[in-house]
Amino acid sequence: MSSEEHIKQTDTESRFEFKKEEASAFKSEKGLTEETVRVISEDKDEPEWMLQSRLRALEHFQNMPMPTNWPEIPDLSEVDVSEIVPYIRPDIDVRGGVDDWTDLPDDIKDTFDKLGIPEAEKNALSGVGAQYESEIVYQNMQEQWEEKGVIFCDMDKAVRDHEEIVREHFMNKCVPPSDNKFAALHGAIWSGGSFVYVPEDTTVDMPIQAYFRMNSEGMGQFEHTLIIAEEGSEVHYIEGCSAPKYSEFNLHSGGVEVFVGEDAHVQYSTVQNWSKSTYNLNTKRAIVEKNGRMEWISGSMGSKATMLYPASILKGRGASDNHITIAFAGEGQNIDTGAKVYHNAPETKSTVESKSISKDGGRTNYRGLVHIADGAHDSSTAVECDALMFDNESTSDTMPYMEINESRVDVAHEATVGKIGDEDIFYLQSRGLDDDDAKQMIVSGFIEPLTEELPIEYAVELNRLVELEMEGSLG
C-alpha cells in the first residue's frame, strides 16, 4: 500500500485526537526560573556555553514585555508561563532517540503509528526525526545520504557531536533571544528539535521530515531546528506538529534558524495541526546568501491562537525568497500569520502568497513586512493576500507593512476578500455535488497553490485536515 493510500484509508480525526497516559522519566516543575533552566541544562549534560546562552535568554525574557501593543493582536492573556511545565523527558531507554521503531515503548510507538510517520518514511522520505514531549525519540537517515556527508540528528546530539558548528550558528546571527519575548523564552528552555547539515554541491532529492507531538496536558514544547545548507546544496525539510485537546492550555514556542549558502536552495514546509487548547507562538528566520533561494510553505490550523511570521534576510546579491501560507480559523480561533522579508542586497526578489479561510466567527489575519534597504537596487517584491469567509460573523484582516528605502525597485501588493457565493454552490450542486462537497471543492481549489508544492502524501493530508476543520471535527 502506498503512503497516499494509507492516508486516504485512515480516519484522520482519530489519528490526531487520541491521548496517551503521561509516562515520563523526568519532569520539571511548572514555571520558568533560573533553577529550572539549570535543571534542564544539567539533565542534558550540556557544555557551559549552552548553559550561559540559556541564562542570557532568560534575562531577556524577564526584561521584555508581552507583545500587547500590536494592532489586533491575538489575546494572549491566558498565556501564563508560570503555569506551564517546560520540560518533560519521555521514558525511553536511549537518549537522543532510537533508529528502529520497534525499539520504542509501545505507547510512544503506537502514537507515531497512528500519525502515519513510519509508513511515510518507507515511501517518501530521506530521513525522519520524531519528537515526543520535550525530546527526540526516533531518528534515522538513509545511509546513502550519510555517506555523502549529510547530517540529520536531534539538536541535543548536535550540541555534543558537532559543537563547533552549532555554537557558531545557534541563536546569535539568525534568531537572537533579544528579537522578541517568545524567542527569549525559547532560548532559555529549548529542548529537542532537528539539526540538518548539507555539504557543498549536495542535493538531497527526497524530503527530510521531523514530527513534533505534544501529549501531556499543560506542557510547553520548545524544539529548535537548525538547518545549514552549504554552497550549491539543496534540501527540502518538512515539519509536522499536533497535540490533543485538553482543558488546560498548552504552549508551543519553537525556533527555526536556516542558513542558505551561495547558490543553495532550501524549502521548509510545515503542516501544523495543534488543538484548540494550544497557543502556537514561533520564531522562524533564514539568512540567504548570494543567489541562494529560500522557500517557506506553511499550513496553520487547529490552535486557539497562532502568531507565526517566517522571515528571510536576503543578504547576498541575487538572493530570493518565496512564501506560501494558508491559515484556517474556526470558532474561538485567532490565526495571525504572515511573512517578513528583508532585501539587504541588490537584485533580490521575494514573493508572498497568503491564503486564509475563516468560519463560525473565527479570525484570520495576514501581518507582513517587506523592507528594501537603501542600495538594494533592482530588487522586486510581490505580495498577494486572498481571504475566503464562510459567514458574516467571521473576519479576515490584512496588515501589510512596506518599508522602501530604494527608488529603483518593483513593489506590488494585492489583496482580495470574498465569501463563498450561493451561485458557486448552486452551480456545483447542479453538477451532482451536495452542499458540503461543493464547499470542500471550492476550498481545495483555493488552497491549491500550497498543496501543489507539497509531496502528494502531505497534500492529501492537508486537504483532509482542512475538510475536518470545515466540519468542526478537530480540536
Side-chain angles (χ1 to χ4, degrees), residues 35-171:
E35 181 182 0
T36 302
V37 171
R38 290 183 178 276
V39 165
I40 293 173
S41 187
E42 182 180 359
D43 190 61
K44 293 176 176 293
D45 194 24
E46 292 178 338
E48 179 65 20
W49 69 265
M50 180 56 77
L51 171 60
Q52 294 305 315
S53 173
R54 290 181 182 275
L55 293 175
R56 287 193 297 270
L58 173 64
E59 185 176 0
H60 281 294
F61 175 78
Q62 292 170 334
N63 293 331
M64 298 176 78
M66 290 285 282
T68 56
N69 59 344
W70 295 8
E72 302 297 327
I73 191 173
D75 182 9
L76 302 180
S77 59
E78 190 182 17
V79 180
D80 183 356
V81 176
S82 67
E83 292 300 316
I84 282 287
V85 176
Y87 180 63
I88 300 177
R89 172 156 54 87
D91 190 10
I92 61 172
D93 293 333
V94 181
R95 296 291 297 270
V98 300
D99 59 6
D100 187 327
W101 291 106
T102 61
D103 291 336
L104 287 173
D106 289 343
D107 59 334
I108 297 179
K109 179 179 180 298
D110 181 63
T111 294
F112 290 104
D113 281 341
K114 282 185 167 70
L115 293 168
I117 308 304
E119 183 70 22
E121 180 183 17
K122 285 187 291 186
N123 290 282
L125 300 169
S126 295
V128 166
Q131 180 159 329
Y132 191 82
E133 313 294 33
S134 297
E135 289 201 353
I136 293 290
V137 295
Y138 175 85
Q139 190 84 43
N140 193 32
M141 185 78 182
Q142 289 186 7
E143 187 175 338
Q144 61 174 312
W145 303 116
E146 291 181 342
E147 291 175 350
K148 293 182 178 181
V150 177
I151 301 171
F152 178 44
C153 66
D154 68 277
M155 274 300 299
D156 295 308
K157 178 179 174 62
V159 170
R160 296 190 303 271
D161 295 355
H162 309 285
E163 183 175 354
E164 184 175 343
I165 193 169
V166 172
R167 187 172 185 177
E168 179 185 352
H169 293 85
F170 182 84
M171 296 196 77

Side-chain angles (χ1 to χ4, degrees), residues 193-223:
S194 299
F195 175 72
V196 179
Y197 176 82
V198 186
E200 186 175 335
D201 295 325
T202 300
T203 296
V204 183
D205 55 15
M206 293 175 66
I208 295 170
Q209 184 188 21
Y211 199 96
F212 303 100
R213 176 72 175 182
M214 269 196 293
N215 179 70
S216 297
E217 184 172 15
M219 77 163 291
Q221 193 172 68
F222 307 95
E223 80 285 348

Side-chain angles (χ1 to χ4, degrees), residues 356 358 385-389 395-398 415-419:
S356 64
S358 53
C385 304
D386 298 322
L388 188 63
M389 294 184 291
T395 59
S396 181
D397 297 312
T398 302
T416 62
V417 179
K419 289 181 61 179

